[in-house]
Amino acid sequence: MTQHYIVVLAPQPNGAWCAHFPDIPGCRAMGDSIDLAVENSTRQVISHLERTHEMPAPRSHEEIRADDAWARKRDIDWSKAVVNLVAIRAQWR
């Protein structure tokens, strides 16, 4: 089964990027580029899903943008963040 999840990429002061998967708690990773941050965090998401065997329902972009508490906790500046959609395939099904 494949689900599409939103990844929010936040630029860091050192030039790196932090990729956050809002619908999968604790799944975030750094990378020197957007592509590396997404690749690193996607591996973390897959590992998390294989351990828990749970694929949370993905929220829409609008729902994530409306989640002010989530964004504040992670210092997301929506004017600088990049949002992508990533396909995650469940390996255990």
Side-chain angles (χ1 to χ4, degrees):
M1 173 187 214
T2 300
Q3 282 283 20
H4 291 82
Y5 289 96
I6 288 177
V7 60
V8 177
L9 297 131
Q12 303 300 296
N14 66 358
W17 288 84
C18 185
H20 302 268
F21 278 84
D23 295 321
I24 305 172
C27 288
R28 68 181 178 97
M30 301 291 287
D32 290 336
S33 68
I34 288 175
D35 290 338
L36 281 175
V38 170
E39 182 180 320
N40 293 339
S41 61
T42 300
R43 280 197 301 265
Q44 189 178 52
V45 167
I46 291 169
S47 175
H48 173 81
L49 296 176
E50 287 176 347
R51 277 192 320 274
T52 64
H53 291 228
E54 296 175 8
M55 279 190 99
R59 293 181 288 169
S60 70
H61 181 247
E62 292 78 17
E63 290 170 309
I64 291 168
R65 284 292 302 259
D67 190 346
D68 291 332
W70 179 87
R72 265 195 314 276
K73 185 175 180 182
R74 290 154 185 86
D75 293 323
I76 301 296
D77 178 349
W78 289 111
S79 69
K80 296 177 183 174
V82 175
V83 178
N84 285 337
L85 195 61
V86 176
I88 303 291
R89 180 178 162 85
Q91 304 295 321
W92 71 89
R93 292 182 186 205

